[in-house]
Amino acid sequence: MIEEAVASLGEPPFRARQVYEAITRGLVTDFSAISTLPVRLRKALAARLQPVTIEEVETRVTRRGDARKTLFVTADGQPVEAVLMTPPRRATVCVSSQIGCAVGCAFCASGRLGLRRDLSAEEMVDQVLAAQRALKPEGRHVTNVVFMGMGEPFHNYDETLRACRLLNDPAGFGLAARAISVSTAGVVPGIERFAREPLQLNLAVSLHAGTDVLRDRLVPLNRRYPLDAVFTACERYVARTRRKLLFEYVVLEGVNDTAEQVEALARRLRRPLFHLNLIAYNETGGPFRRPRPGALSAFRGRLEAAGVRCTVRRSPGDDIKAACGQLALRSVRAAAQ
Ligand code: SAH
Ligand code: SF4
């Protein structure tokens, strides 16, 4: 887009590189601020292009100050949200890849929106650039990007990978590939394609259940890609990449933390490079309950005793409704009233 606009103005290609650098490294939001360009070019570009594709509407910060969630609006008026988590020494942006999601997991607010549309790579990168801009005054910068916001990245594979390549581009934002993670609800062809990507990106697979009976209920995509198919693809992924594979598991008390699930999970997960990450369910108004204090660590203990490597992810931002999809859902409801 930048190249085409610059070329159509009869300018040499190095001008396009200057604009790209000013946006991805200089974090400018306005062409008039690109001081390396002649003023007439700045004006001509401003008349043709928008340097940012999404506009910030609202940012909420947690009481502890360890996470902030931003609601953006796209040029066509759609809500997009991104969360910036800032534990000590890290700054991780949780990026949305779609507006809503077609998968419809039983516990997820994004699913309730249905799929409205895919996001473009630029709309994804702009969520990260906004976070970088917010961190700059504190002398900090984005250290990690996870595609774990709204949407199923492998239902929007090409744009998600294009966003990863843009973020990684040493001539642009320059984030290491190993600092970028993509999370899927188990789209098997996507996992297979991802295993063949030349970039050393990380993969996470959202599991949420160890048996097909339960997973069919929690993650409807399981009816299309059941656990055997998902795990065949996952085993191939680790065999090919030799990279660690993270399985995400939202713990729903009394539903997926039973002895039956522990046994089923152990059978599937006792493999080198497989790692289970437990996340306490954030209330989204459904029938599920967040595990009581102690229940989560008890579940972890039973899994470890059964030979599963696992960790508990502290989920910051519960008080700002940082569970994926919650803020966007609220904004859609507010707009409908
Ligand atoms: N669609 C992809 C990526 C986005 S969802 C996927 O499902 O992997 C990313 C994560 O958000 C999921 O792993 C799920 O663990 C988490 N999530 C969704 N709803 C949640 C909720 N109500 N509480 C806690 N985590 C939730
Ligand atoms: Fe979609 Fe992921 Fe939410 Fe499931 S958990 S509805 S796949 S965004």
Side-chain angles (χ1 to χ4, degrees), residues 17 77 109 210 277 287 321:
R17 274 198 305 278
N277 200 9
K321 302 232 171 292

Side-chain angles (χ1 to χ4, degrees), residues 13-27:
F14 82 91
R15 291 292 185 205
R17 274 198 305 278
Q18 283 179 316
V19 174
Y20 175 67
E21 252 178 45
I23 293 173
T24 56
R25 293 174 166 262
L27 306 174

Side-chain angles (χ1 to χ4, degrees), residues 101-105 107-111 149-152 185 206 208 219 324:
C101 181
V103 177
C105 297
F107 50 84
C108 172
S110 303
M150 267 201 292
E152 167 48 46
S206 294
H208 312 314
V219 185
C324 94

Side-chain angles (χ1 to χ4, degrees), residues 107-108 148-149 151-152 183-185 206 208 248 250 281-282 284 324:
F107 50 84
C108 172
M148 291 187 187
E152 167 48 46
S183 174
T184 178
S206 294
H208 312 314
E248 310 268 0
V250 171
Y281 165 64
N282 277 319
T284 54
C324 94

Side-chain angles (χ1 to χ4, degrees), residues 17-95:
R17 274 198 305 278
Q18 283 179 316
V19 174
Y20 175 67
E21 252 178 45
I23 293 173
T24 56
R25 293 174 166 262
L27 306 174
V28 300
T29 54
D30 194 337
F31 288 117
S32 66
I34 311 181
S35 53
T36 50
L37 299 183
V39 174
R40 69 180 154 73
L41 180 55
R42 296 184 217 174
K43 286 200 179 132
L45 284 172
R48 277 176 171 74
L49 282 182
Q50 274 294 337
V52 274
T53 57
I54 51 173
E55 192 188 317
E56 266 180 68
V57 177
E58 177 191 341
T59 293
R60 293 184 179 193
V61 183
T62 50
R63 262 178 301 223
R64 265 193 247 106
D66 56 352
R68 56 194 111 173
K69 177 159 190 157
T70 303
L71 177 67
F72 301 89
V73 64
T74 61
D76 59 340
Q78 302 280 350
V80 174
E81 57 181 31
V83 181
L84 170 59
M85 290 161 286
T86 48
R89 292 180 302 281
R90 272 166 95 98
T92 301
V93 194
C94 180
V95 170

